[in-house]
């Protein structure tokens, strides 16, 4: 499929602020600084649709993005930032769990992990949550440009073992900086949304941004 239009639809902290459950949603979850905002911007071909910040832990709401006036990407709050208070961390956890339980139009949650490292305890807990709610099966390993091809394959196998992924679970290695792995990921999003046309990732604006800002992979 081709993403031709994308807009921030709304931000929400509680279910009454969610948009109507009338379009298929795919949510992105992951630790603070894993590259979630940069990935969303690149997928959508926008420089700053999702805010990218050098200060982790800034995303404190659930952000709903409208895609092609038909589908949605949902950006869940980043977790695992040590400087966030325990009460704030618990609040974000409750916010995420409430969304997972209350959203009938949620098709899948993509768990983002840094391909350079073994998934953290919070990553494993999140994937267990996703299994419990039937939303597992899709993992996105970010910052793939930081590893050689052999190192990447070795680490993808390690991630699969660490998260106890099934054979059917899909892991996509991507780099927002080098734009690698994007077509395959957009194809998967299109399949989940029910849009089966071949993937075409927006190029000009997002590519220009990625090349101009090597630090853009840092996540809000």
């Amino acid at each position: 499929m081709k993403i031709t239009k994308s807009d921030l639809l709304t931000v929400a902290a509680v279910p009454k602020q969610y948009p109507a459950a009338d379009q298929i949603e795919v949510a992105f979850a992951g630790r603070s600084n894993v590259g979630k905002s940069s990935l969303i911007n690149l997928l959508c071909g926008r420089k700053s649709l999702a805010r990218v910040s050098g200060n982790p832990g800034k995303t404190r709401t659930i952000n709903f993005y409208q895609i092609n006036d038909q589908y949605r990407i949902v950006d869940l709050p980043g977790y695992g930032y040590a400087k966030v208070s325990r009460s704030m961390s618990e609040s974000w956890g409750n916010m995420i769990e409430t969304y997972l339980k209350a959203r009938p139009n949620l098709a899948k949650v993509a768990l983002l992990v840094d391909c350079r490292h073994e998934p953290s305890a919070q990553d494993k807990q999140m994937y267990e949550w996703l299994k419990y709610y039937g939303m597992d099966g899709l993992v996105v390993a970010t910052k793939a440009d930081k590893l050689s091809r052999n190192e990447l394959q070795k680490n993808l196998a390690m991630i699969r073992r660490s998260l106890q992924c099934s054979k059917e679970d899909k892991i996509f290695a991507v780099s927002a900086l080098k734009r690698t792995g994007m077509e395959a990921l957009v194809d998967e999003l299109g399949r989940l949304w029910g849009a089966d046309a071949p993937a075409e990732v927006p190029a000009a604006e997002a590519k220009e941004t990625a090349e101009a800002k090597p630090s853009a992979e840092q996540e809000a």
Side-chain angles (χ1 to χ4, degrees):
M1 67 171 292
K2 181 179 181 180
I3 296 177
T4 57
K5 184 178 180 182
S6 55
D7 296 288
L8 176 62
L9 179 62
T10 190
V11 298
V14 293
K16 66 180 180 180
Q17 297 172 334
Y18 298 169
D22 56 356
Q23 295 179 343
I24 299 174
E25 295 173 355
V26 176
F28 287 3
R31 285 175 58 85
S32 298
N33 210 32
V34 76
K36 190 153 43 73
S37 296
S38 295
L39 180 64
I40 291 173
N41 287 336
L42 189 57
L43 288 172
C44 295
R46 299 282 299 274
K47 289 183 178 180
S48 55
L49 180 64
R51 184 181 177 185
V52 178
S53 172
N55 298 317
K58 289 295 184 181
T59 303
R60 301 182 182 182
T61 54
I62 298 174
N63 299 339
F64 293 81
Y65 298 96
Q66 190 80 57
I67 306 298
N68 291 358
D69 293 323
Q70 301 178 70
Y71 320 110
R72 295 188 191 124
I73 287 175
V74 181
D75 185 7
L76 300 176
Y79 54 82
Y81 184 48
K83 293 185 179 181
V84 172
S85 69
R86 180 173 180 179
S87 62
M88 181 66 74
S89 179
E90 290 176 351
S91 173
W92 295 351
N94 291 335
M95 189 187 305
I96 293 171
E97 188 169 16
T98 297
Y99 171 76
L100 294 178
K101 289 194 288 189
R103 208 60 179 159
N105 56 323
L106 176 60
K108 187 70 68 175
V109 180
L111 176 65
L112 274 64
V113 296
D114 189 326
C115 74
R116 299 171 297 177
H117 310 295
E118 182 176 357
S120 68
Q122 290 100 334
D123 291 328
K124 295 174 185 178
Q125 181 184 33
M126 173 59 74
Y127 208 61
E128 286 297 320
W129 269 8
L130 299 183
K131 288 178 182 177
Y132 181 81
Y133 291 111
M135 292 293 161
D136 60 318
L138 178 58
V139 178
V140 179
T142 63
K143 308 186 182 184
D145 58 287
K146 305 297 184 182
L147 299 177
S148 69
R149 182 176 298 180
N150 288 340
E151 289 172 332
L152 179 60
Q153 293 305 312
K154 179 180 178 180
N155 281 20
L156 291 179
M158 173 267 292
I159 290 168
R160 184 176 286 277
R161 290 193 304 270
S162 182
L163 294 177
Q164 298 182 11
C165 295
S166 71
K167 293 181 179 179
E168 291 75 26
D169 289 357
K170 298 178 181 179
I171 301 182
F172 294 88
V174 303
S175 167
L177 181 62
K178 299 295 185 180
R179 297 177 51 80
T180 55
M182 293 297 170
E183 288 79 7
L185 180 56
V186 173
D187 270 341
E188 180 64 15
L189 293 178
R191 186 188 68 80
L192 294 168
W193 284 328
D196 296 326
E200 186 173 342
V201 179
E205 187 176 359
K207 183 176 182 181
E208 183 180 72
T209 304
E211 291 176 347
K213 297 182 179 181
S215 63
E217 190 127 25
Q218 299 215 337
E219 152 73 28

